[in-house]
Amino acid sequence: MEVATIRIQKPAISSEQFKVSLGLTPELMELEPDSPIASENELKLCKTAEGTNLPGIFSTLDNEEPSMEGWITHKMQCLPVYNTQYLKMKEHYLRSAKPPRRVKPLNHIVKNYKPVSSHAHNKDDCKRKDGSKMLSKDNILDLLFQAFEKHQYYTLKDLQFITKQSVFVLKAILKDIGDYNKDPAHKKMWELKEEYRHY
């Protein structure tokens, strides 16, 4: 059975390569009509790089030892011609590769987690950012005096948490109204100056 025809076209310019095409016969195409293949193909000649080992061609007859027939100096790549038939073939294979959609019955309840616009940790960050807004000196003084009414001594970290102000702002205000203790009993703690105390 004839399966294909090779056509060799001479180039117009001698420096160019020969155009070689491979066309499959209609008899071959009709063998499996459900799985289409490209009937028109282009054969591109590729010369093997110098210095590489050339593969050899051997032949055997019955039980005789293999005999050397020759060397492969050129290779040919078979590339399908980009036409409507080739596109139909690609479409067929892509559709057959995708699994068909099927309906599966569910015997148990599926938990659906709705998307949340703002998570808990983001809310905490927002609270911190809102809380760390710069207050006026009078507001900070009010907060400090309210705190010192409850306790006599505070660390700078505690006062920062109560007022939600920066360390630099607090230190500047505390130098005016407070004393920094160096006694072992209340070391590294702040208390109000005598003129501001009423206990």
Side-chain angles (χ1 to χ4, degrees), residues 26-171:
E27 292 86 8
L28 184 73
M29 299 292 286
E30 286 169 9
L31 288 174
E32 286 190 36
D34 296 334
S35 56
I37 54 170
S39 62
E40 292 295 321
N41 299 282
E42 190 184 340
L43 297 172
K44 281 197 174 179
L45 197 68
C46 305
K47 199 174 182 180
T48 35
E50 288 182 16
T52 55
N53 293 330
L54 298 173
I57 301 167
F58 297 88
S59 66
T60 53
L61 286 168
D62 300 328
N63 293 328
E64 292 178 13
E65 285 187 11
S67 61
M68 180 75 176
E69 294 292 334
W71 302 97
I72 298 171
T73 55
H74 292 75
K75 287 183 182 180
M76 280 192 151
Q77 277 186 324
C78 185
L79 303 168
V81 177
Y82 194 80
N83 54 16
T84 52
Q85 191 184 8
Y86 172 72
L87 290 171
K88 280 180 184 177
M89 180 195 77
K90 288 294 284 181
E91 188 182 357
H92 170 78
Y93 282 111
L94 285 169
R95 283 187 178 169
S96 60
K98 283 183 181 177
R101 291 185 178 185
R102 291 177 184 175
V103 178
K104 288 184 181 179
L106 296 172
N107 301 325
H108 57 282
I109 297 165
V110 179
K111 285 184 180 178
N112 287 328
Y113 296 98
K114 291 181 181 177
V116 180
S117 59
S118 184
H119 296 277
H121 62 271
N122 291 340
K123 286 177 183 175
D124 292 341
D125 289 343
C126 289
K127 279 180 185 175
R128 280 194 211 108
K129 284 174 187 173
D130 293 341
S132 62
K133 283 179 182 175
M134 185 71 180
L135 297 172
S136 66
K137 189 176 178 181
D138 294 333
N139 290 340
I140 296 166
L141 284 168
D142 289 340
L143 289 168
L144 288 171
F145 287 133
Q146 283 174 16
F148 279 110
E149 280 176 14
K150 293 174 186 174
H151 298 287
Q152 188 179 350
Y153 301 99
Y154 279 100
T155 60
L156 188 66
K157 197 175 181 182
D158 292 336
L159 291 171
Q160 192 185 357
F161 179 76
I162 291 163
T163 58
K164 295 190 172 42
Q165 298 301 304
S166 67
V167 177
F168 304 106
V169 174
L170 273 176
K171 274 189 177 178

Side-chain angles (χ1 to χ4, degrees), residues 6-13 16-21:
I6 291 178
R7 294 182 190 88
I8 301 168
Q9 189 181 342
K10 272 190 176 182
I13 305 163
E16 288 182 1
Q17 287 186 347
F18 283 86
K19 285 186 179 179
V20 186
S21 61

